[in-house]
Amino acid sequence: MREFNSFYFESFSFDKETLKARFVWSFDSDYFFEEEIDFFSDSFFIRDDLNDDIINNFLFSLHIALWISYYKSFPTKNLYVKSWFLDDNQINFWQKFYKNWLWEFLYTNDIKPQNLFNFINDSDLIYKKIDFNIDEKSFIALWGWKDSLVSIDLFRKNNLDYDLVVFWKTDSIKENCAKLLWKDIYLIKRKISQSLLELNRLWNYNWHVPITWIIAFCLLFASYIYNYKYIVLSNEKSANSWNTFWQWLEINHQWSKSLEFERDLRDYVEGYLSSDIKYFSILRGWYELKISEYFSKNLKDFFWVFSSCNNNFKIDETKRLKQTIWCNSCPKCAFVFTILRPYLTQDEIISIFWEDLFLKKDIQKTFLELLWIDWIKPFECVWEIEEVVLAFYKSLSFYEWKNSEVLEIFRKNILTKYDSLYFQLLEKKFATISSDDIIPENIKKLIKK
């Protein structure tokens, strides 16, 4: 493992002809990382009044957001900011985000968090927020998961115009979804630094990066240059739930999908970037069970193309799935199967997963983790525990317990503890759509209608 003393935010630049942004960071101003993000599209039109100061203001925030991919190789105490000046409010904002972002990484690698994230200004350059006009258009982030398809369907059914945006790379899942929707995809292309891959080969630290955070700041800039007011995500209420505790802080694998994150980001954007661009999740008040029920009833045409399995989206292309879009072995596959099972026939569930996972032996331990029988919730974008319990309960009628080891364990360890009233209350809870969100009122009224 190669060791370093300090991390530096070196510089960023933007070419208005190619719409390519370039970002540079380093360890000790000696080991450099250079990343490129390409915002160009020949299917969408940029605004004709691009302002250099506004561009730099957005790109500075993106420069600070992107660095996490590189900093995690060897977390250092001091962070020297050479590309801009951070005021105290900004420092507090970024420190909070980094803590919540990196807590899972630090926990997994047993790295003590004390004295990390010490920002030191090495520049007196300041760009202040400049307001600008923006059109009433919406970007919806397309993942190819059931959640984003439900968001899109809500817009379609309410005759709200939208365009699809994808970050980093597209794939057959997203492309097939877009074809069924008769929509073009705006693709923001990312080229990460080869220096990072070299450090990974030297066995430096490596772990999951909450990509939603990076996507948020990329979409904010894209919304400015392409003149879109609304950035629509599909993060649900369950994303607010934590996984475990460590060092007196909750670890939430989905923190960058939580309502707390969206509110903090809204305040930062309104204070430093734009008073008009709105970033929000249209499904914020929905539980996973409600989303799954809606998807199962209204989006059957997408059963054969959608997938939530993260093995489709690995950076290392040699580790991605080749012949199928579900691995049927990971926590994500187990969870999506569980949450959809109550609403689908046997033929429908088999048409998606090609097998019945409740009857599959080598994934039984993962199902027990979903039920918290093994206590620690997997570090994946999954559920509230009671949602899984209710989904298991609602699925029992499809099976004889003796045919499924995991359902037999559920019956013995959980079902015997509760009466029917408990499950009725759960049913009512998860069918309710919460109004605790930051959805703009004009959008919310149309969706409710």
Side-chain angles (χ1 to χ4, degrees):
M1 179 185 293
R2 183 166 177 179
E3 299 185 2
F4 303 96
N5 295 314
S6 299
F7 191 89
Y8 288 80
F9 297 86
E10 298 282 353
S11 64
F12 62 85
S13 60
F14 184 69
D15 187 325
K16 286 198 287 188
E17 296 298 321
T18 64
L19 301 189
K20 290 181 179 179
R22 176 178 167 271
F23 304 90
V24 182
W25 309 265
S26 77
F27 282 117
D28 300 330
S29 288
D30 175 58
Y31 192 93
F32 286 87
F33 305 98
E34 183 175 322
E35 176 169 326
E36 180 183 278
I37 297 187
D38 185 354
F39 290 92
F40 177 78
S41 171
D42 55 11
S43 300
F44 295 82
F45 298 99
I46 66 170
R47 63 191 304 141
D48 56 11
D49 60 345
L50 289 177
N51 179 289
D52 289 340
D53 288 342
I54 296 175
I55 288 172
N56 286 328
N57 198 14
F58 275 94
L59 290 182
F60 170 66
S61 293
L62 183 52
H63 191 210
I64 302 292
L66 286 166
W67 77 290
I68 199 75
S69 298
Y70 307 103
Y71 174 76
K72 68 178 174 57
S73 300
F74 193 85
T76 61
K77 174 183 176 182
N78 292 328
L79 309 169
Y80 289 90
V81 184
K82 298 170 69 174
S83 56
W84 204 277
F85 179 86
L86 289 171
D87 65 31
D88 290 341
N89 288 332
Q90 287 175 303
I91 288 174
N92 290 334
F93 169 84
W94 292 108
Q95 283 179 333
K96 177 182 178 180
F97 278 21
Y98 291 154
K99 268 188 181 179
N100 282 280
W101 236 27
L102 284 170
W103 225 242
E104 177 187 334
F105 162 77
L106 298 174
Y107 164 83
T108 305
N109 287 284
D110 195 25
I111 300 172
K112 301 304 180 205
Q114 287 76 19
N115 300 319
L116 294 180
F117 322 123
N118 180 34
F119 284 94
I120 300 172
N121 281 306
D122 199 10
S123 170
D124 56 5
L125 185 61
I126 298 176
Y127 287 101
K128 295 189 177 180
K129 183 182 81 171
I130 301 174
D131 286 324
F132 49 85
N133 295 323
I134 196 144
D135 289 347
E136 294 273 336
K137 299 186 295 184
S138 299
F139 271 139
I140 299 183
L142 174 67
W143 301 97
W145 308 340
K146 65 182 185 331
D147 311 66
S148 59
L149 293 171
V150 169
S151 294
I152 291 164
D153 200 56
L154 291 175
F155 269 63
R156 290 196 304 174
K157 283 198 163 87
N158 290 281
N159 297 314
L160 293 169
D161 194 23
Y162 66 92
D163 285 300
L164 304 176
V165 59
V166 169
F167 176 71
W168 201 335
K169 297 176 182 178
T170 188
D171 50 58
S172 61
I173 296 169
K174 299 179 185 71
E175 289 167 2
N176 286 331
C177 288
K179 286 176 184 177
L180 286 174
L181 293 164
W182 294 90
K183 284 283 189 178
D184 290 327
I185 289 175
Y186 167 45
L187 176 63
I188 302 172
K189 296 175 283 294
R190 183 189 190 192
K191 189 185 295 183
I192 62 174
S193 174
Q194 292 301 303
S195 300
L196 175 62
L197 304 180
E198 179 61 30
L199 281 186
N200 290 344
R201 285 191 286 269
L202 294 173
W203 296 98
N204 277 63
Y205 296 112
N206 194 12
W207 192 247
H208 160 80
V209 169
I211 194 68
T212 310
W213 160 283
I214 292 173
I215 292 171
F217 281 94
C218 284
L219 292 183
L220 286 165
F221 181 57
S223 292
Y224 166 64
I225 60 177
Y226 284 101
N227 213 6
Y228 281 72
K229 180 169 186 172
Y230 303 112
I231 303 169
V232 185
L233 278 291
S234 306
N235 303 319
E236 78 294 333
K237 188 174 177 63
S238 308
N240 298 325
S241 300
W242 51 271
N243 294 75
T244 189
F245 284 92
W246 181 66
Q247 295 282 327
W248 306 284
L249 190 71
E250 292 178 358
I251 299 178
N252 180 1
H253 178 82
Q254 301 188 83
W255 187 79
S256 60
K257 297 181 180 180
S258 70
L259 179 58
E260 180 184 7
F261 167 82
E262 288 184 3
R263 283 184 169 139
D264 287 349
L265 181 63
R266 174 196 60 191
D267 294 343
Y268 180 88
V269 170
E270 290 181 353
Y272 293 96
L273 298 178
S274 168
S275 302
D276 294 305
I277 295 178
K278 306 299 179 185
Y279 176 103
F280 61 93
S281 292
I282 197 69
L283 302 180
R284 173 55 62 201
W286 295 43
Y287 284 102
E288 282 278 8
L289 275 168
K290 183 70 176 175
I291 295 169
S292 298
E293 181 182 23
Y294 185 101
F295 177 80
S296 299
K297 291 180 178 178
N298 297 286
L299 292 160
K300 295 182 185 293
D301 289 348
F302 292 86
F303 282 4
W304 66 279
V305 296
F306 93 102
S307 179
S308 301
C309 178
N310 286 336
N311 286 313
N312 289 296
F313 314 113
K314 290 184 178 294
I315 295 176
D316 185 345
E317 295 186 11
T318 65
K319 296 181 180 179
R320 294 181 193 169
L321 298 177
K322 296 294 192 294
Q323 305 300 323
T324 181
I325 56 176
W326 299 92
C327 76
N328 289 355
S329 298
C330 69
K332 202 67 177 291
C333 286
F335 173 69
V336 176
F337 179 92
T338 300
I339 216 76
L340 287 175
R341 188 65 188 94
Y343 308 110
L344 299 177
T345 67
Q346 182 73 1
D347 287 344
E348 286 174 332
I349 202 74
I350 296 298
S351 74
I352 295 171
F353 294 93
W354 292 91
E355 59 183 326
D356 190 326
L357 300 193
F358 278 159
L359 304 179
K360 188 179 181 185
K361 297 290 186 183
D362 61 2
I363 198 174
Q364 301 302 300
K365 185 176 185 298
T366 303
F367 280 120
L368 299 183
E369 290 175 348
L370 293 180
L371 288 164
W372 277 33
I373 289 175
D374 285 349
W375 176 237
I376 292 183
K377 175 180 173 182
F379 288 122
E380 278 286 357
C381 298
V382 295
W383 93 102
E384 282 197 10
I385 174 60
E386 288 179 328
E387 284 188 276
V388 177
V389 168
L390 182 59
F392 266 73
Y393 175 76
K394 290 165 70 71
S395 300
L396 286 175
S397 61
F398 295 110
Y399 300 88
E400 294 182 20
W401 293 325
K402 63 182 180 180
N403 292 335
S404 171
E405 180 183 339
V406 70
L407 289 176
E408 176 64 14
I409 294 172
F410 171 77
R411 182 183 69 83
K412 289 180 177 178
N413 288 270
I414 296 177
L415 187 61
T416 55
K417 296 178 181 178
Y418 303 105
D419 58 17
S420 59
L421 178 60
Y422 171 76
F423 291 103
Q424 291 172 22
L425 293 174
L426 287 188
E427 188 94 50
K428 182 178 180 180
K429 172 184 175 180
F430 293 122
T432 303
I433 298 177
S434 169
S435 59
D436 190 13
D437 57 53
I438 59 168
I439 302 171
E441 283 302 317
N442 57 320
I443 300 288
K444 187 185 289 191
K445 288 178 182 176
L446 290 170
I447 294 297
K448 281 186 177 180
K449 176 182 175 183

